Amino acid sequence: MIDHAHDLACVRDATERLLTAVAELDNASLAEPSRLPGWTRGHVLAHLARNADALVNVLEGRPMYASAEARDADIQRDAPRPLDAQLADLRETAARFQAVGNAPADWTRTVELRNGVTDSASRVPFRRWVEVGLHHVDLGIGYELEHLPAEFTEREIDFLTARFSGHPDVPATRVTDGTRAWSTGREAAGPAVTVSGAPADLLGWLAGRREGAALKATGGALPTLPPL
């Protein structure tokens, strides 16, 4: 059962960690490349701010973004801003998201995200937590997948293995960290491949943040996953 209030608190804590870390940067470092191809750190921060606004739209029944083109244009517009502007925007948009999340609402209702994707409103806070957590790592400023809370890592592995479940381009795969196991990929009587490793390495592979060199694949090669 999703506890949206718990997840909102986790979003708040993750955002504070991010803001504290980013405040130690300077304008020049924001213009340096992030770990996401083609994006500077400024692009990552601009995306996080605009994503908070987009999820407010979702919770209030509006389209997440006006269009894909508008989303991209907003990120490009805001990426070159100086550190103080980035921090102020992140704080203000995070506060708006928390305010909407704390307002009385029917959290069982279905909401629409991008590209026609629908989900329970109760899952939106976790989606925001994922954005903040993974993009903090993407900044490349010392916060790694290993630093993410264990609850976050397990739940995101749950989500990503479910996302690739039934995908025709992914072989039937068992994913395990030695204590827990997940199934993903094509439907089959049994797994074709077993992928094992530390939780952070499994998350990195599933989320497209690591190539999987630290993982062990038995029964076949490490599957190549489609982009998220």
Side-chain angles (χ1 to χ4, degrees):
M1 179 119 180
I2 299 294
D3 183 345
H4 72 274
H6 166 78
D7 288 349
L8 280 168
C10 293
V11 171
R12 183 187 63 238
D13 293 346
T15 301
E16 286 304 315
R17 282 194 296 271
L18 173 74
L19 288 169
T20 298
V22 171
E24 298 296 319
L25 304 178
D26 56 27
N27 291 335
S29 62
L30 292 191
E32 294 173 352
S34 73
R35 292 175 175 175
L36 295 178
W39 272 17
T40 65
R41 293 188 179 115
H43 283 89
V44 175
L45 298 180
H47 164 63
L48 278 170
R50 302 287 68 78
N51 173 263
D53 283 340
L55 291 177
V56 167
N57 288 338
V58 167
L59 290 176
E60 293 187 337
R62 296 185 295 274
M64 187 169 180
Y65 295 101
S67 66
E69 293 76 17
R71 170 189 176 276
D72 294 345
D74 286 347
I75 294 170
Q76 292 293 338
R77 178 198 65 207
D78 294 340
R81 296 176 302 179
L83 178 62
D84 58 350
Q86 297 277 17
L87 285 170
D89 195 15
L90 285 167
R91 289 193 188 98
E92 291 165 7
T93 53
R96 284 197 292 272
F97 178 77
Q98 288 288 330
V100 172
N102 287 323
D106 174 12
W107 287 95
T108 66
R109 71 192 188 279
T110 298
V111 295
E112 184 170 345
L113 296 122
R114 295 180 67 196
N115 304 319
V117 173
T118 60
D119 204 350
S120 168
S122 65
R123 285 190 58 88
V124 171
F126 181 68
R127 286 178 175 271
R128 176 61 181 173
W129 188 11
V130 170
E131 292 286 330
V132 175
L134 289 183
H135 286 316
H136 192 166
V137 174
D138 293 334
L139 289 172
I141 56 175
Y143 189 77
E144 303 296 342
L145 293 170
E146 285 78 6
H147 296 129
L148 290 163
E151 177 196 352
F152 175 103
T153 300
E154 182 174 355
R155 288 176 62 186
E156 183 62 355
I157 291 174
D158 282 340
F159 176 80
L160 292 171
T161 50
R163 178 167 180 166
F164 294 125
S165 182
H167 197 292
D169 295 332
V170 179
T173 303
R174 180 177 181 265
V175 177
T176 181
D177 65 0
T179 60
R180 293 154 297 185
W182 300 263
S183 295
T184 194
R186 291 191 293 269
E187 293 184 6
V193 183
T194 294
V195 177
S196 57
D201 290 317
L202 292 172
L203 173 60
W205 169 62
L206 289 163
R209 264 66 180 185
R210 292 182 180 174
E211 294 181 358
L215 300 175
K216 179 181 179 181
T218 56
L222 183 72
T224 299
L225 300 176
L228 293 173

